[in-house]
Amino acid sequence: MSVEIPPDHPRYRSLLYRERLIEGMEKKVTAPAGLIAHGRGEAFDYLLGERTHPHAHTAIRQAAFLLLTSRHPVVSVNGNVVALCPEELVRLSKVTGAPLEVNLFYRSREREEAIARVLREHGAEQVLGVGAEAVIPELSSERRRVDPEGILEADCVFVPLEDGDRTEALVRLGKKVITVDLNPLSRTARTATVTIVDNIVRALPLLIEVIERHRDDPSSLAVPDYDNKRILAEALSAIVHHLTATAHELAD
Amino acid sequence: MSVEIPPDHPRYRSLLYRERLIEGMEKKVTAPAGLIAHGRGEAFDYLLGERTHPHAHTAIRQAAFLLLTSRHPVVSVNGNVVALCPEELVRLSKVTGAPLEVNLFYRSREREEAIARVLREHGAEQVLGVGAEAVIPELSSERRRVDPEGILEADCVFVPLEDGDRTEALVRLGKKVITVDLNPLSRTARTATVTIVDNIVRALPLLIEVIERHRDDPSSLAVPDYDNKRILAEALSAIVHHLTATAHELAD
């Protein structure tokens, strides 16, 4: 299924990440529904002009602050995130000391192990959540199963590309939840403590960079009066602005 | 991979069509990249409020007019369209007399045959494009291969969920091109003669209904001064309107 993408193709990067997802599915890392979710993300990224906006930089700063100042942060990973940026996940775990935990909606032992294998190939020493036994109360999907040393004990969870039910359950349990979601209107985006409305492949390197730069002085990162609703409103404005500008070009 | 979807789930229909795509992939009807494309469509449908707008009804009317008054119309099908609405494709072909032609971006004999099989299971008597030999000039992808009795000879082609290169090539060859595309900014949407900006699963039954109702009097269907650019501008406005309304709800 793999196709050759010429590097001068206008959509080279987007096609490259698409190929990573398809390869991820062939390696059992990504579920088929994960490919559909990736497509939804692509559409919203396109509407954002495929760039990191100021609201995302603000959210990244606040996310870095929370990850550096929490007692027990955890990095929750799923198939799409691992297919797209495994190196960055391992690096984020190392710079924050937050363990990586596999956390799937379509859970199977085979996929858990495939994901853990990819993370280990990229330098992860420990991967939680393989054969996870603990359970998040009030969640009916397989995703409620979490590692007792990981998310269950965490005070702060980084859950990029997460679903709404799960995010709500984590927030109800009193955890600080940081997510990356390209749809500012999704339930995940609206429920999380901090929502980075950006493409994970752009946001993750930026988050790591901010953390590395401010590791010794995390309190300087705190965004005064951080308001996640304002972040989402700004993301929506950016989309409306981009659509309106493109509509004007179209009319010319 | 198939999951049970409770019929009272707020996203029941959307999840159902998602499952059809995944099953389509398992039957080799849909390519993995087709799942990603479906996700992009889902995002735009969500932004349209998941309903058929007046601009789409206008485009459907004009599409029905063209299909009924063309000398040699053809219905071009790909994996996603066949996975989503095979019955409707067969019915459209019957009510218009336009042959069905398999026309894939990721072409393989196996997929061509899988698609033709599904169409035959749904009552198609003839399916063109399996082992297609003719070539559309100026197109480098495998998609340039078309059936010499079908698209190559057609004066009007219905190509739902089509890619930009292909649509441009068909228009350059002087054919009238009707497409269904949820992204009003896509190259396909902007190049086609008539663009129905709507979900194929809603648009196709409506198109068939209009054709059946006006089969004996097609000229009554022609939209005076039909302007596809205006259709796209109206679709964009609908998206902006829906986003703005949701942003206001969010702020409350």
Side-chain angles (χ1 to χ4, degrees):
Chain A
M1 192 41 55
S2 185
V3 282
E4 286 291 323
I5 308 162
D8 62 341
H9 191 287
R11 307 207 51 74
Y12 177 70
R13 288 177 64 85
S14 156
L15 293 173
L16 191 76
Y17 289 115
R18 212 175 278 177
E19 280 301 303
R20 284 202 193 168
L21 260 288
I22 294 173
E23 279 165 33
M25 190 177 64
E26 286 160 2
K27 285 195 277 180
K28 308 278 180 202
V29 163
T30 312
L35 264 61
I36 299 177
H38 182 74
R40 288 196 296 279
E42 277 189 0
F44 281 102
D45 201 18
Y46 170 90
L47 294 178
L48 282 164
E50 291 172 334
R51 65 186 185 84
T52 304
H53 291 259
H55 61 77
H57 284 286
T58 304
I60 285 170
R61 212 178 151 83
Q62 182 71 2
F65 168 68
L66 291 181
L67 286 168
L68 284 173
T69 56
S70 294
R71 181 182 45 79
H72 184 8
V74 168
V75 174
S76 167
V77 302
N78 62 28
N80 280 28
V81 182
V82 169
L84 289 170
C85 33
E87 305 92 349
E88 289 82 359
L89 290 170
V90 174
R91 208 154 134 229
L92 179 67
S93 169
K94 290 194 172 157
V95 295
T96 56
L100 294 161
E101 176 163 350
V102 182
N103 178 25
L104 307 179
F105 194 83
Y106 298 102
R107 201 175 255 288
S108 78
R109 189 64 185 246
E110 188 187 26
R111 282 191 62 222
E112 287 170 6
E113 281 167 5
I115 287 171
R117 192 177 317 122
V118 171
L119 289 170
R120 282 199 208 93
E121 281 165 10
H122 288 88
E125 278 150 32
Q126 195 196 9
V127 181
L128 302 177
V130 180
E133 290 300 340
V135 150
I136 293 189
E138 302 172 61
L139 257 192
S140 64
S141 101
E142 272 298 297
R143 223 171 221 226
R144 68 211 284 248
R145 287 169 43 205
V146 289
D147 197 299
E149 290 174 49
I151 290 170
L152 206 67
E153 283 303 304
D155 56 341
C156 175
V157 194
F158 179 66
V159 282
L161 320 187
E162 186 53 277
D163 86 297
D165 286 349
R166 169 70 176 209
T167 306
E168 282 180 357
L170 292 172
V171 168
R172 260 201 311 272
L173 292 170
K175 302 183 194 301
K176 289 187 165 51
V177 176
I178 301 160
T179 195
V180 179
D181 193 325
L182 278 158
N183 176 2
L185 297 171
S186 78
R187 208 143 47 89
T188 296
R190 287 146 65 166
T191 311
T193 318
V194 174
T195 305
I196 302 166
V197 184
D198 197 17
N199 193 324
I200 182 85
V201 303
R202 291 191 303 267
L204 211 44
L206 290 170
L207 178 61
I208 293 166
E209 193 189 308
V210 171
I211 288 172
E212 284 180 335
R213 215 174 332 122
H214 295 273
R215 207 165 2 172
D216 300 325
D217 182 21
S219 61
S220 71
L221 283 169
V223 176
D225 305 315
Y226 179 84
D227 180 353
N228 205 50
K229 272 199 175 167
R230 202 166 61 209
I231 296 290
L232 300 181
E234 285 175 21
L236 266 175
S237 297
I239 290 176
V240 169
H241 181 82
H242 185 249
L243 273 172
T244 314
T246 318
H248 284 307
E249 278 170 40
L250 205 77
D252 288 343
Chain B
M1 190 44 53
S2 186
V3 284
E4 286 292 322
I5 306 161
D8 61 343
H9 192 289
R11 308 207 51 73
Y12 177 70
R13 287 177 65 84
S14 156
L15 293 173
L16 190 77
Y17 289 115
R18 213 174 279 177
E19 281 301 304
R20 283 201 194 169
L21 260 288
I22 295 173
E23 280 166 32
M25 191 178 63
E26 287 159 1
K27 284 195 278 181
K28 308 280 180 198
V29 163
T30 313
L35 264 61
I36 299 177
H38 182 73
R40 288 197 297 279
E42 277 189 1
F44 281 102
D45 200 18
Y46 170 91
L47 294 177
L48 282 165
E50 290 172 335
R51 64 185 186 84
T52 304
H53 290 259
H55 60 78
H57 284 287
T58 305
I60 285 169
R61 214 178 150 82
Q62 182 71 3
F65 169 69
L66 290 182
L67 286 168
L68 284 173
T69 56
S70 294
R71 180 182 46 79
H72 183 8
V74 168
V75 174
S76 166
V77 302
N78 62 28
N80 279 29
V81 182
V82 169
L84 290 169
C85 33
E87 305 91 351
E88 290 82 359
L89 289 170
V90 174
R91 208 154 134 230
L92 179 67
S93 169
K94 290 194 173 158
V95 295
T96 56
L100 294 161
E101 174 161 351
V102 183
N103 177 23
L104 307 179
F105 193 82
Y106 299 102
R107 201 174 256 285
S108 78
R109 189 65 187 245
E110 188 186 25
R111 283 191 61 225
E112 287 170 6
E113 280 167 4
I115 288 172
R117 193 177 316 123
V118 171
L119 289 169
R120 282 197 208 95
E121 281 165 12
H122 287 87
E125 277 151 35
Q126 194 196 11
V127 181
L128 302 177
V130 181
E133 291 300 337
V135 149
I136 292 188
E138 300 172 62
L139 256 191
S140 64
S141 99
E142 273 299 297
R143 220 169 225 227
R144 69 211 286 249
R145 288 169 41 204
V146 289
D147 196 300
E149 290 174 50
I151 291 171
L152 206 68
E153 282 303 304
D155 57 341
C156 174
V157 192
F158 179 65
V159 281
L161 319 187
E162 185 53 275
D163 86 298
D165 285 349
R166 169 70 177 209
T167 306
E168 283 180 358
L170 291 173
V171 168
R172 259 201 312 270
L173 289 171
K175 301 182 193 301
K176 289 188 165 52
V177 175
I178 301 162
T179 195
V180 180
D181 193 324
L182 277 157
N183 176 2
L185 297 172
S186 77
R187 209 143 45 89
T188 297
R190 287 147 66 168
T191 310
T193 318
V194 173
T195 305
I196 302 166
V197 184
D198 197 17
N199 193 324
I200 182 88
V201 304
R202 291 191 303 268
L204 211 43
L206 290 171
L207 178 62
I208 292 166
E209 194 189 309
V210 171
I211 289 172
E212 284 180 335
R213 212 172 337 119
H214 294 273
R215 207 164 2 173
D216 300 324
D217 182 22
S219 60
S220 72
L221 283 169
V223 176
D225 305 315
Y226 180 83
D227 180 352
N228 206 49
K229 273 198 174 169
R230 201 166 61 207
I231 295 290
L232 300 181
E234 285 175 20
L236 266 175
S237 296
I239 290 176
V240 169
H241 182 82
H242 185 251
L243 272 172
T244 314
T246 319
H248 283 308
E249 280 170 37
L250 204 77
D252 288 342

